[in-house]
Amino acid sequence: MSKALIKFIRLSPTKARLIAREVQGMNAELAIASLKFMPNKGAKYIANAISSAVANGSFEPSEVVVKSCRVDAGSVLKRFRPRARGSASRIRKPTSHILVEVEKFEEKKSDAKTSKSTKTAKVKKES
């Protein structure tokens, strides 16, 4: 398993989490390809993090699965905008940290005999 962390991205964590949920559990190659065509700003950063995590583990993108893609809140840049009658209002510019974990894909082997015996047992119980 390998990780990649991108910190202090000028993007709201709530907007980035929408994209992060889409790629969890996907093949890394498929995830990067699908993120390439998304119009969101966060898709570019998450694709970059996935490719970085694949390179950190020295894997090929086709043999790796995105185990988790987590977006945490970073520090908030606070700015002020002038308002009426000499007052000011606060503007919050949030940042986010993106953590991507990838692991090698392994197919689970199941015995045909055990699956058949459980199916027949269920059928006999129903009868």
Side-chain angles (χ1 to χ4, degrees):
M1 181 174 74
S2 62
K3 300 178 185 178
L5 177 66
I6 302 177
K7 296 178 93 175
F8 300 108
I9 292 176
R10 265 293 291 122
L11 179 70
S12 171
T14 52
K15 291 178 183 177
R17 283 185 193 121
L18 293 172
I19 301 152
R21 283 192 201 112
E22 294 285 324
V23 297
Q24 282 184 348
M26 286 178 90
N27 183 347
E29 189 174 35
L30 182 65
I32 293 169
S34 63
L35 288 169
K36 194 179 216 179
F37 296 103
M38 283 190 184
N40 307 47
K41 181 180 177 182
K44 184 179 93 174
Y45 292 115
I46 292 174
N48 192 357
I50 292 171
S51 62
S52 179
V54 170
N56 287 343
S58 63
F59 297 120
E60 288 293 321
S62 58
E63 63 187 25
V64 179
V65 174
V66 178
K67 183 180 177 186
S68 72
C69 184
R70 195 174 76 202
V71 179
D72 299 322
S75 59
V76 178
L77 304 173
K78 295 178 179 90
R79 303 291 182 255
F80 292 95
R81 169 166 285 153
R83 304 303 270 185
R85 297 188 202 166
S87 65
S89 64
R90 182 181 290 170
I91 297 173
R92 298 178 72 246
K93 296 189 173 190
T95 63
S96 56
H97 307 311
I98 297 173
L99 176 73
V100 175
E101 295 177 347
V102 296
E103 67 179 358
K104 197 159 184 144
F105 178 71
E106 296 175 10
E107 289 186 29
K108 296 179 181 176
K109 296 179 181 176
S110 62
D111 291 332
K113 292 179 182 179
T114 57
S115 62
K116 281 185 179 179
S117 62
T118 56
K119 286 180 184 176
T120 55
K122 287 180 184 177
V123 172
K124 286 180 182 177
K125 286 181 182 178
E126 291 175 4
S127 298

